Amino acid sequence: MRILVTGGAGFLGSHLCKRLLERGDEVICLDNLFTGRRRNIVPFLNNPNFEFLRHDVVDSFKAEVDHIYNLACPASPVHYQHNPIKTVKTSVMGAINCLGLAKRINARVFQASTSEVYGDPVVHPQTEDYRGNVNPIGPRSCYDEGKRCAETLFFDYHRQNGVDVRVVRIFNTYGPQMLADDGRVVSNFIVQALRGEDITVYGEGSQTRSFCFVDDLINGFLKMMEIEGFTGPVNLGNPAEFTILELAEHVIRLTGSSSKVIHEVLPQDDPLQRQPDISLAREKLGWEPQVGLEEGLQRTINYFKSEIS
Ligand code: NAD
Ligand code: UDP
């Protein structure tokens, strides 16, 4: 198959490109390298089945492909809040451009949506029918509302034009290939611990997240794209829930670091709790994560050890 991956030079995108190339697909990776980097795709550049296009999803593009995975969008709060207007444009216009292309060439199109569509959830764990608790005008809104609007577009193109869509809502995912300065919690804590710096817990650290290892998530992507007659949206994440303070303690223990936890101000609208209900993914895709937090952290720590030494 010929497959277009937008955001293919990023954290998740580079793992996805690798898996697609390994199974023999031809991959076009489209990325503007805002948070992605050439290094993530260097191993593929000599592969005749791989092509890199430096391009912005906000501007239209053409390709003859069977499948489109739309991953282009900064995912770390630090990066998506850097230029919030651009984040909205990336989500909304990127979705329109992918869907318009999918419609013209009759391709199946996948959207990397997010648990952020649930905002600061009052239903716990989050099921797909929960409509969320999102602040439309806060610092996270550019991402949350951009992704919500992208979902709207996916389902409107599906209903109005019969476009073959797949929408997954991704919960916090981590692993090798994250940037050391990505700003998200797992990479921050590991890099701080390895450098012997203070571990920056925002607020009391009692807020929760559920962390999925990247290999598990990519398995879910591939299953979702293969299955017939199921558009989603479907939650993909690891339901094991931890407080941020517990995460800090795990990282300190596994790295054997002498770093100390310090507390910094909790960012505005930071969700208090987050845990996916993955019953739908289990039922429809036969999918569930296999890698626990301890094993996944160890693999990520090993990656960062070679990365920052
Ligand atoms: P990432 O920041 O590593 O990757 C995003 C990629 O998109 C980067 O390569 C970046 O350069 C590219 N990009 C950004 N804006 C672009 C634009 N305008 N045009 C072209 N390329 C652009 O983040 P990630 O963790 O790999 O996330 C990938 C996707 O998955 C994102 O859409 C994100 O919202 C979604 N997601 C990720 C998580 C997670 O925990 N990793 C959770 C929920 C949703
Ligand atoms: N966080 C933290 N210290 C950091 C980075 C993040 O305590 O150095 C917290 C953050 O406030 C949030 C959680 O960790 O409660 C997850 O943050 P992240 O940016 O990884 O993703 P989010 O799920 O908030 O989008």
Tab-separated table of all heavy atoms in Angstrom, residues 190-247:
chain	number	residue	atom	x	y	z
A	190	ILE	N	12.337	12.073	33.220
A	190	ILE	CA	13.479	11.179	32.948
A	190	ILE	C	14.737	12.003	32.703
A	190	ILE	O	15.806	11.715	33.264
A	190	ILE	CB	13.179	10.246	31.753
A	190	ILE	CG1	12.087	9.239	32.142
A	190	ILE	CG2	14.445	9.526	31.297
A	190	ILE	CD1	11.646	8.313	31.029
A	191	VAL	N	14.627	13.036	31.898
A	191	VAL	CA	15.812	13.849	31.582
A	191	VAL	C	16.313	14.546	32.849
A	191	VAL	O	17.521	14.584	33.120
A	191	VAL	CB	15.467	14.855	30.448
A	191	VAL	CG1	16.576	15.876	30.272
A	191	VAL	CG2	15.216	14.100	29.140
A	192	GLN	N	15.392	15.064	33.651
A	192	GLN	CA	15.801	15.717	34.911
A	192	GLN	C	16.502	14.709	35.826
A	192	GLN	O	17.554	15.009	36.412
A	192	GLN	CB	14.576	16.314	35.617
A	192	GLN	CG	14.023	17.545	34.900
A	192	GLN	CD	12.602	17.906	35.340
A	192	GLN	OE1	11.892	17.121	35.959
A	192	GLN	NE2	12.172	19.125	34.989
A	193	ALA	N	15.929	13.503	35.928
A	193	ALA	CA	16.522	12.489	36.822
A	193	ALA	C	17.909	12.090	36.330
A	193	ALA	O	18.852	11.978	37.118
A	193	ALA	CB	15.609	11.267	36.908
A	194	LEU	N	18.051	11.900	35.024
A	194	LEU	CA	19.356	11.472	34.491
A	194	LEU	C	20.403	12.570	34.634
A	194	LEU	O	21.585	12.286	34.773
A	194	LEU	CB	19.222	11.057	33.020
A	194	LEU	CG	18.423	9.767	32.763
A	194	LEU	CD1	18.286	9.508	31.258
A	194	LEU	CD2	19.076	8.565	33.440
A	195	ARG	N	19.971	13.817	34.609
A	195	ARG	CA	20.924	14.922	34.748
A	195	ARG	C	21.146	15.324	36.207
A	195	ARG	O	21.884	16.266	36.490
A	195	ARG	CB	20.425	16.146	33.970
A	195	ARG	CG	20.506	15.954	32.462
A	195	ARG	CD	20.047	17.204	31.725
A	195	ARG	NE	20.266	17.080	30.288
A	195	ARG	CZ	19.524	17.673	29.359
A	195	ARG	NH1	18.504	18.437	29.707
A	195	ARG	NH2	19.799	17.517	28.083
A	196	GLY	N	20.423	14.652	37.121
A	196	GLY	CA	20.546	14.983	38.545
A	196	GLY	C	19.927	16.333	38.884
A	196	GLY	O	20.253	16.942	39.908
A	197	GLU	N	19.011	16.798	38.034
A	197	GLU	CA	18.330	18.083	38.297
A	197	GLU	C	17.060	17.830	39.111
A	197	GLU	O	16.592	16.698	39.212
A	197	GLU	CB	17.942	18.751	36.963
A	197	GLU	CG	19.148	19.114	36.106
A	197	GLU	CD	18.748	19.506	34.681
A	197	GLU	OE1	17.552	19.416	34.347
A	197	GLU	OE2	19.660	19.881	33.921
A	198	ASP	N	16.500	18.915	39.655
A	198	ASP	CA	15.236	18.779	40.395
A	198	ASP	C	14.131	18.270	39.468
A	198	ASP	O	14.065	18.653	38.292
A	198	ASP	CB	14.805	20.141	40.963
A	198	ASP	CG	15.744	20.598	42.073
A	198	ASP	OD1	16.408	19.737	42.692
A	198	ASP	OD2	15.808	21.822	42.305
A	199	ILE	N	13.246	17.451	40.029
A	199	ILE	CA	12.095	16.944	39.279
A	199	ILE	C	10.944	17.933	39.505
A	199	ILE	O	10.499	18.122	40.644
A	199	ILE	CB	11.658	15.552	39.790
A	199	ILE	CG1	12.851	14.584	39.841
A	199	ILE	CG2	10.488	14.998	39.005
A	199	ILE	CD1	13.228	13.919	38.571
A	200	THR	N	10.466	18.535	38.418
A	200	THR	CA	9.488	19.621	38.532
A	200	THR	C	8.059	19.086	38.500
A	200	THR	O	7.490	18.859	37.428
A	200	THR	CB	9.674	20.621	37.373
A	200	THR	OG1	9.622	19.876	36.125
A	200	THR	CG2	11.005	21.354	37.468
A	201	VAL	N	7.492	18.879	39.663
A	201	VAL	CA	6.089	18.458	39.746
A	201	VAL	C	5.227	19.715	39.814
A	201	VAL	O	5.434	20.570	40.687
A	201	VAL	CB	5.858	17.569	40.988
A	201	VAL	CG1	4.374	17.352	41.245
A	201	VAL	CG2	6.577	16.236	40.820
A	202	TYR	N	4.291	19.834	38.878
A	202	TYR	CA	3.416	21.013	38.870
A	202	TYR	C	2.259	20.788	39.843
A	202	TYR	O	1.591	19.756	39.797
A	202	TYR	CB	2.884	21.286	37.454
A	202	TYR	CG	3.968	21.508	36.408
A	202	TYR	CD1	3.702	21.313	35.058
A	202	TYR	CD2	5.263	21.906	36.767
A	202	TYR	CE1	4.685	21.510	34.090
A	202	TYR	CE2	6.243	22.101	35.806
A	202	TYR	CZ	5.952	21.901	34.474
A	202	TYR	OH	6.920	22.091	33.516
A	203	GLY	N	2.036	21.755	40.728
A	203	GLY	CA	1.006	21.620	41.754
A	203	GLY	C	1.452	20.585	42.782
A	203	GLY	O	2.645	20.308	42.944
A	204	GLU	N	0.442	19.987	43.459
A	204	GLU	CA	0.750	18.982	44.489
A	204	GLU	C	1.209	17.660	43.885
A	204	GLU	O	1.760	16.808	44.576
A	204	GLU	CB	-0.507	18.721	45.336
A	204	GLU	CG	-0.946	19.910	46.200
A	204	GLU	CD	0.146	20.281	47.194
A	204	GLU	OE1	0.637	19.362	47.884
A	204	GLU	OE2	0.534	21.465	47.240
A	205	GLY	N	0.894	17.469	42.604
A	205	GLY	CA	1.226	16.183	41.956
A	205	GLY	C	0.153	15.137	42.174
A	205	GLY	O	0.357	13.960	41.912
A	206	SER	N	-1.029	15.586	42.656
A	206	SER	CA	-2.111	14.618	42.882
A	206	SER	C	-2.965	14.423	41.622
A	206	SER	O	-3.812	13.530	41.571
A	206	SER	CB	-2.992	15.083	44.038
A	206	SER	OG	-3.448	16.394	43.765
A	207	GLN	N	-2.737	15.268	40.604
A	207	GLN	CA	-3.461	15.048	39.338
A	207	GLN	C	-3.006	13.724	38.723
A	207	GLN	O	-1.869	13.307	38.935
A	207	GLN	CB	-3.242	16.218	38.351
A	207	GLN	CG	-1.856	16.377	37.757
A	207	GLN	CD	-0.907	17.213	38.608
A	207	GLN	OE1	-0.978	17.188	39.823
A	207	GLN	NE2	0.009	17.935	37.980
A	208	THR	N	-3.909	13.066	37.997
A	208	THR	CA	-3.572	11.739	37.460
A	208	THR	C	-3.497	11.737	35.935
A	208	THR	O	-4.131	12.554	35.262
A	208	THR	CB	-4.619	10.682	37.886
A	208	THR	OG1	-5.857	10.970	37.236
A	208	THR	CG2	-4.800	10.650	39.393
A	209	ARG	N	-2.708	10.807	35.426
A	209	ARG	CA	-2.651	10.502	33.998
A	209	ARG	C	-2.468	8.994	33.873
A	209	ARG	O	-2.032	8.314	34.808
A	209	ARG	CB	-1.462	11.198	33.303
A	209	ARG	CG	-1.535	12.723	33.253
A	209	ARG	CD	-2.667	13.248	32.397
A	209	ARG	NE	-2.619	14.703	32.251
A	209	ARG	CZ	-3.169	15.580	33.104
A	209	ARG	NH1	-3.811	15.145	34.183
A	209	ARG	NH2	-3.097	16.876	32.868
A	210	SER	N	-2.740	8.473	32.673
A	210	SER	CA	-2.620	7.041	32.396
A	210	SER	C	-1.686	6.928	31.208
A	210	SER	O	-1.984	7.471	30.145
A	210	SER	CB	-4.000	6.478	32.061
A	210	SER	OG	-4.904	6.817	33.110
A	211	PHE	N	-0.557	6.255	31.376
A	211	PHE	CA	0.541	6.351	30.405
A	211	PHE	C	0.646	5.096	29.550
A	211	PHE	O	0.782	3.984	30.078
A	211	PHE	CB	1.857	6.591	31.139
A	211	PHE	CG	1.851	7.859	31.940
A	211	PHE	CD1	1.658	7.831	33.314
A	211	PHE	CD2	2.006	9.096	31.315
A	211	PHE	CE1	1.633	9.002	34.061
A	211	PHE	CE2	1.986	10.273	32.057
A	211	PHE	CZ	1.792	10.225	33.436
A	212	CYS	N	0.633	5.307	28.246
A	212	CYS	CA	0.681	4.200	27.290
A	212	CYS	C	2.046	4.173	26.610
A	212	CYS	O	2.542	5.217	26.171
A	212	CYS	CB	-0.422	4.416	26.251
A	212	CYS	SG	-0.614	3.059	25.094
A	213	PHE	N	2.646	2.995	26.496
A	213	PHE	CA	3.924	2.891	25.794
A	213	PHE	C	3.661	2.927	24.285
A	213	PHE	O	2.690	2.358	23.787
A	213	PHE	CB	4.652	1.604	26.191
A	213	PHE	CG	6.054	1.557	25.655
A	213	PHE	CD1	7.015	2.451	26.106
A	213	PHE	CD2	6.408	0.638	24.667
A	213	PHE	CE1	8.314	2.425	25.603
A	213	PHE	CE2	7.700	0.607	24.167
A	213	PHE	CZ	8.649	1.512	24.632
A	214	VAL	N	4.589	3.578	23.572
A	214	VAL	CA	4.345	3.884	22.153
A	214	VAL	C	4.070	2.642	21.300
A	214	VAL	O	3.199	2.689	20.416
A	214	VAL	CB	5.511	4.727	21.586
A	214	VAL	CG1	6.845	4.028	21.687
A	214	VAL	CG2	5.238	5.186	20.174
A	215	ASP	N	4.766	1.538	21.542
A	215	ASP	CA	4.565	0.351	20.689
A	215	ASP	C	3.123	-0.146	20.770
A	215	ASP	O	2.542	-0.573	19.775
A	215	ASP	CB	5.507	-0.802	21.117
A	215	ASP	CG	6.961	-0.480	20.827
A	215	ASP	OD1	7.245	0.604	20.285
A	215	ASP	OD2	7.827	-1.324	21.157
A	216	ASP	N	2.567	-0.116	21.984
A	216	ASP	CA	1.170	-0.521	22.148
A	216	ASP	C	0.249	0.384	21.343
A	216	ASP	O	-0.679	-0.074	20.670
A	216	ASP	CB	0.770	-0.433	23.634
A	216	ASP	CG	1.268	-1.616	24.453
A	216	ASP	OD1	1.409	-2.716	23.884
A	216	ASP	OD2	1.490	-1.436	25.664
A	217	LEU	N	0.513	1.674	21.419
A	217	LEU	CA	-0.368	2.621	20.721
A	217	LEU	C	-0.334	2.388	19.212
A	217	LEU	O	-1.386	2.362	18.554
A	217	LEU	CB	0.065	4.064	21.031
A	217	LEU	CG	-0.904	5.089	20.455
A	217	LEU	CD1	-2.126	5.248	21.347
A	217	LEU	CD2	-0.233	6.431	20.243
A	218	ILE	N	0.868	2.196	18.671
A	218	ILE	CA	0.980	2.013	17.212
A	218	ILE	C	0.255	0.721	16.790
A	218	ILE	O	-0.401	0.687	15.739
A	218	ILE	CB	2.465	2.009	16.760
A	218	ILE	CG1	3.166	3.315	17.182
A	218	ILE	CG2	2.577	1.804	15.246
A	218	ILE	CD1	2.645	4.598	16.599
A	219	ASN	N	0.303	-0.316	17.619
A	219	ASN	CA	-0.491	-1.521	17.323
A	219	ASN	C	-1.968	-1.162	17.182
A	219	ASN	O	-2.661	-1.661	16.296
A	219	ASN	CB	-0.365	-2.556	18.446
A	219	ASN	CG	0.990	-3.233	18.448
A	219	ASN	OD1	1.688	-3.225	17.444
A	219	ASN	ND2	1.363	-3.813	19.585
A	220	GLY	N	-2.427	-0.299	18.061
A	220	GLY	CA	-3.832	0.138	18.009
A	220	GLY	C	-4.132	0.917	16.730
A	220	GLY	O	-5.185	0.726	16.104
A	221	PHE	N	-3.195	1.788	16.325
A	221	PHE	CA	-3.388	2.550	15.068
A	221	PHE	C	-3.580	1.583	13.891
A	221	PHE	O	-4.478	1.747	13.072
A	221	PHE	CB	-2.130	3.382	14.740
A	221	PHE	CG	-1.939	4.648	15.521
A	221	PHE	CD1	-2.655	4.915	16.662
A	221	PHE	CD2	-0.999	5.590	15.094
A	221	PHE	CE1	-2.439	6.089	17.375
A	221	PHE	CE2	-0.789	6.764	15.789
A	221	PHE	CZ	-1.495	7.010	16.930
A	222	LEU	N	-2.670	0.587	13.819
A	222	LEU	CA	-2.687	-0.309	12.653
A	222	LEU	C	-3.979	-1.127	12.640
A	222	LEU	O	-4.598	-1.309	11.594
A	222	LEU	CB	-1.446	-1.216	12.668
A	222	LEU	CG	-0.103	-0.472	12.584
A	222	LEU	CD1	1.063	-1.441	12.691
A	222	LEU	CD2	0.020	0.354	11.300
A	223	LYS	N	-4.399	-1.577	13.816
A	223	LYS	CA	-5.650	-2.349	13.885
A	223	LYS	C	-6.831	-1.491	13.453
A	223	LYS	O	-7.718	-1.943	12.740
A	223	LYS	CB	-5.884	-2.856	15.312
A	223	LYS	CG	-5.001	-4.021	15.663
A	223	LYS	CD	-5.411	-4.674	16.968
A	223	LYS	CE	-4.563	-5.922	17.154
A	223	LYS	NZ	-5.248	-7.014	17.779
A	224	MET	N	-6.835	-0.253	13.922
A	224	MET	CA	-7.946	0.651	13.600
A	224	MET	C	-8.018	0.899	12.097
A	224	MET	O	-9.106	1.003	11.528
A	224	MET	CB	-7.724	1.966	14.363
A	224	MET	CG	-8.838	2.948	14.218
A	224	MET	SD	-10.398	2.294	14.873
A	224	MET	CE	-11.461	3.698	14.581
A	225	MET	N	-6.869	1.005	11.456
A	225	MET	CA	-6.854	1.309	10.028
A	225	MET	C	-7.223	0.089	9.186
A	225	MET	O	-7.648	0.220	8.044
A	225	MET	CB	-5.456	1.825	9.669
A	225	MET	CG	-5.412	2.770	8.511
A	225	MET	SD	-6.540	4.154	8.640
A	225	MET	CE	-5.768	5.257	7.465
A	226	GLU	N	-7.058	-1.116	9.758
A	226	GLU	CA	-7.333	-2.342	8.997
A	226	GLU	C	-8.795	-2.762	9.066
A	226	GLU	O	-9.319	-3.376	8.148
A	226	GLU	CB	-6.482	-3.494	9.553
A	226	GLU	CG	-5.103	-3.542	8.921
A	226	GLU	CD	-4.088	-4.231	9.822
A	226	GLU	OE1	-4.494	-5.016	10.717
A	226	GLU	OE2	-2.885	-3.952	9.640
A	227	ILE	N	-9.437	-2.406	10.184
A	227	ILE	CA	-10.778	-2.948	10.424
A	227	ILE	C	-11.805	-2.306	9.475
A	227	ILE	O	-11.686	-1.140	9.123
A	227	ILE	CB	-11.162	-2.753	11.904
A	227	ILE	CG1	-12.293	-3.680	12.283
A	227	ILE	CG2	-11.515	-1.319	12.206
A	227	ILE	CD1	-12.320	-3.975	13.763
A	228	GLU	N	-12.771	-3.113	9.055
A	228	GLU	CA	-13.818	-2.586	8.168
A	228	GLU	C	-15.030	-2.151	8.999
A	228	GLU	O	-15.349	-2.770	10.012
A	228	GLU	CB	-14.262	-3.668	7.164
A	228	GLU	CG	-13.178	-4.114	6.191
A	228	GLU	CD	-12.643	-2.983	5.314
A	228	GLU	OE1	-13.416	-2.061	4.965
A	228	GLU	OE2	-11.437	-3.011	4.985
A	229	GLY	N	-15.678	-1.092	8.569
A	229	GLY	CA	-16.979	-0.715	9.126
A	229	GLY	C	-16.941	-0.144	10.530
A	229	GLY	O	-17.946	-0.196	11.236
A	230	PHE	N	-15.827	0.406	10.950
A	230	PHE	CA	-15.772	1.032	12.284
A	230	PHE	C	-14.992	2.349	12.189
A	230	PHE	O	-13.789	2.345	11.979
A	230	PHE	CB	-15.113	0.081	13.291
A	230	PHE	CG	-14.979	0.648	14.681
A	230	PHE	CD1	-16.083	1.150	15.366
A	230	PHE	CD2	-13.740	0.680	15.312
A	230	PHE	CE1	-15.954	1.687	16.649
A	230	PHE	CE2	-13.596	1.204	16.598
A	230	PHE	CZ	-14.718	1.706	17.261
A	231	THR	N	-15.713	3.444	12.346
A	231	THR	CA	-15.080	4.766	12.203
A	231	THR	C	-14.449	5.245	13.499
A	231	THR	O	-13.624	6.145	13.496
A	231	THR	CB	-16.143	5.825	11.842
A	231	THR	OG1	-17.151	5.804	12.865
A	231	THR	CG2	-16.761	5.571	10.474
A	232	GLY	N	-14.864	4.688	14.666
A	232	GLY	CA	-14.548	5.312	15.935
A	232	GLY	C	-15.556	6.430	16.157
A	232	GLY	O	-16.592	6.473	15.486
A	233	PRO	N	-15.282	7.394	17.043
A	233	PRO	CA	-14.031	7.540	17.784
A	233	PRO	C	-13.834	6.426	18.822
A	233	PRO	O	-14.798	5.963	19.413
A	233	PRO	CB	-14.190	8.891	18.490
A	233	PRO	CG	-15.668	9.068	18.635
A	233	PRO	CD	-16.275	8.414	17.427
A	234	VAL	N	-12.560	6.075	18.992
A	234	VAL	CA	-12.237	5.044	19.977
A	234	VAL	C	-11.048	5.512	20.819
A	234	VAL	O	-10.096	6.087	20.290
A	234	VAL	CB	-11.957	3.694	19.275
A	234	VAL	CG1	-10.728	3.749	18.374
A	234	VAL	CG2	-11.809	2.563	20.298
A	235	ASN	N	-11.155	5.278	22.120
A	235	ASN	CA	-10.044	5.606	23.031
A	235	ASN	C	-8.914	4.606	22.858
A	235	ASN	O	-9.157	3.389	22.845
A	235	ASN	CB	-10.491	5.499	24.495
A	235	ASN	CG	-11.493	6.567	24.899
A	235	ASN	OD1	-11.569	7.629	24.271
A	235	ASN	ND2	-12.254	6.300	25.946
A	236	LEU	N	-7.684	5.112	22.759
A	236	LEU	CA	-6.497	4.246	22.805
A	236	LEU	C	-5.583	4.778	23.896
A	236	LEU	O	-5.124	5.925	23.834
A	236	LEU	CB	-5.752	4.244	21.462
A	236	LEU	CG	-6.439	3.592	20.264
A	236	LEU	CD1	-5.511	3.638	19.037
A	236	LEU	CD2	-6.858	2.139	20.529
A	237	GLY	N	-5.353	3.958	24.891
A	237	GLY	CA	-4.486	4.372	25.992
A	237	GLY	C	-4.359	3.220	26.965
A	237	GLY	O	-5.031	2.199	26.833
A	238	ASN	N	-3.482	3.407	27.921
A	238	ASN	CA	-3.297	2.376	28.952
A	238	ASN	C	-4.112	2.776	30.174
A	238	ASN	O	-3.903	3.855	30.718
A	238	ASN	CB	-1.806	2.276	29.314
A	238	ASN	CG	-1.532	1.060	30.172
A	238	ASN	OD1	-2.315	0.731	31.054
A	238	ASN	ND2	-0.430	0.391	29.906
A	239	PRO	N	-5.074	1.932	30.595
A	239	PRO	CA	-5.956	2.346	31.691
A	239	PRO	C	-5.300	2.405	33.074
A	239	PRO	O	-5.945	2.867	34.023
A	239	PRO	CB	-7.080	1.307	31.670
A	239	PRO	CG	-6.651	0.225	30.778
A	239	PRO	CD	-5.452	0.654	30.004
A	240	ALA	N	-4.047	1.976	33.210
A	240	ALA	CA	-3.404	2.056	34.532
A	240	ALA	C	-3.140	3.532	34.864
A	240	ALA	O	-2.419	4.219	34.138
A	240	ALA	CB	-2.107	1.265	34.531
A	241	GLU	N	-3.754	3.974	35.962
A	241	GLU	CA	-3.745	5.417	36.284
A	241	GLU	C	-2.778	5.700	37.436
A	241	GLU	O	-2.754	4.953	38.423
A	241	GLU	CB	-5.171	5.807	36.698
A	241	GLU	CG	-5.374	7.282	36.974
A	241	GLU	CD	-6.795	7.571	37.484
A	241	GLU	OE1	-7.506	6.617	37.893
A	241	GLU	OE2	-7.177	8.751	37.491
A	242	PHE	N	-2.013	6.763	37.307
A	242	PHE	CA	-1.026	7.135	38.336
A	242	PHE	C	-1.130	8.625	38.629
A	242	PHE	O	-1.451	9.414	37.732
A	242	PHE	CB	0.405	6.849	37.839
A	242	PHE	CG	0.666	5.396	37.566
A	242	PHE	CD1	0.372	4.852	36.316
A	242	PHE	CD2	1.168	4.560	38.553
A	242	PHE	CE1	0.591	3.499	36.057
A	242	PHE	CE2	1.391	3.207	38.306
A	242	PHE	CZ	1.098	2.680	37.059
A	243	THR	N	-0.799	9.009	39.868
A	243	THR	CA	-0.649	10.446	40.120
A	243	THR	C	0.712	10.861	39.557
A	243	THR	O	1.617	10.035	39.365
A	243	THR	CB	-0.682	10.779	41.629
A	243	THR	OG1	0.483	10.233	42.241
A	243	THR	CG2	-1.947	10.257	42.298
A	244	ILE	N	0.857	12.165	39.337
A	244	ILE	CA	2.118	12.669	38.792
A	244	ILE	C	3.247	12.491	39.821
A	244	ILE	O	4.385	12.219	39.453
A	244	ILE	CB	1.937	14.142	38.353
A	244	ILE	CG1	0.930	14.204	37.183
A	244	ILE	CG2	3.262	14.791	37.983
A	244	ILE	CD1	1.254	13.338	35.982
A	245	LEU	N	2.884	12.580	41.095
A	245	LEU	CA	3.888	12.330	42.131
A	245	LEU	C	4.363	10.871	42.095
A	245	LEU	O	5.560	10.586	42.230
A	245	LEU	CB	3.298	12.666	43.506
A	245	LEU	CG	4.288	13.056	44.595
A	245	LEU	CD1	5.245	14.138	44.142
A	245	LEU	CD2	3.511	13.524	45.837
A	246	GLU	N	3.438	9.946	41.884
A	246	GLU	CA	3.831	8.526	41.760
A	246	GLU	C	4.761	8.339	40.564
A	246	GLU	O	5.743	7.597	40.641
A	246	GLU	CB	2.587	7.633	41.580
A	246	GLU	CG	1.814	7.395	42.857
A	246	GLU	CD	0.460	6.725	42.614
A	246	GLU	OE1	-0.071	6.765	41.479
A	246	GLU	OE2	-0.087	6.173	43.585
A	247	LEU	N	4.454	9.022	39.473
A	247	LEU	CA	5.324	8.910	38.291
A	247	LEU	C	6.734	9.385	38.635
A	247	LEU	O	7.722	8.721	38.287
A	247	LEU	CB	4.745	9.745	37.128
A	247	LEU	CG	5.627	9.749	35.882
A	247	LEU	CD1	5.581	8.399	35.160
A	247	LEU	CD2	5.215	10.859	34.907
